[in-house]
Amino acid sequence: MLPTLNGRLQTRVFMLVVLGGLITLVLTPLLPGRPGYGTTFAILATVLVAGIGWELVYHGIQQFRWEKDWPTMFGLLTAVNEGALVWLLVDVGAVPGIEANSIGFGAFLIDFVVIWLVIWVWTNGPMRVPFIRWRFFGGRIV
């Protein structure tokens, strides 16, 4: 069974908070320009909030597909539009907690891509082994 919208939302929130948070803790001091934890965690929170909106858009688009889902690779490619939106929000100063020019595009790109790839690989690979019920109950936690 495919994950439901609710299950995909729960998975997105859990993965960004737990795995994304851990990666941010480790990665922030290594980023060029040393943006600081406040900036990188604000970006992570923006990805989380905007991602919930994106998930609703993706769900609407999937309703036009016969199987009501799309190939796994599409999930990886959604990083392009999600990353572009978050960078735009950061660049125009629309993200609370981030001062103008407090993070360069290179640091943002490294931060976003590393977190996105690790979460995508974990969710589509190893996570399916210890959390087998995640697949069989449509993504519902309970």
Side-chain angles (χ1 to χ4, degrees):
M1 175 174 274
L2 299 171
T4 62
L5 173 61
N6 190 30
R8 286 194 315 271
L9 289 171
Q10 289 174 8
T11 301
R12 181 182 282 260
V13 169
F14 180 80
M15 296 306 289
L16 280 170
V17 168
V18 175
L19 196 52
L22 291 173
I23 295 167
T24 300
L25 281 172
V26 172
L27 190 60
T28 298
L30 306 173
L31 292 173
R34 308 256 182 189
Y37 286 108
T39 300
T40 54
F41 275 103
I43 290 171
L44 187 65
T46 304
V47 171
L48 175 66
V49 172
I52 291 171
W54 276 116
E55 208 55 66
L56 298 173
V57 170
Y58 301 149
H59 183 73
I61 293 170
Q62 289 172 0
Q63 299 314 299
F64 294 103
R65 292 183 49 87
W66 178 78
E67 66 275 359
K68 306 291 188 228
D69 197 15
W70 52 32
T72 303
M73 186 57 83
F74 282 22
L76 179 61
L77 295 175
T78 59
V80 174
N81 55 301
E82 292 192 28
L85 174 65
V86 173
W87 173 249
L88 179 67
L89 293 172
V90 167
D91 196 41
V92 301
V95 177
I98 299 181
E99 298 175 18
N101 301 321
S102 65
I103 186 167
F105 181 70
F108 169 81
L109 191 63
I110 292 168
D111 184 37
F112 183 84
V113 169
V114 167
I115 291 171
W116 188 273
L117 284 176
V118 170
I119 289 176
W120 184 81
V121 167
W122 175 258
T123 303
N124 288 291
M127 187 177 96
R128 294 179 182 212
V129 175
F131 300 107
I132 196 163
R133 294 183 185 272
W134 174 79
R135 287 178 47 217
F136 292 114
F137 291 108
R140 293 186 303 261
I141 290 178
V142 197

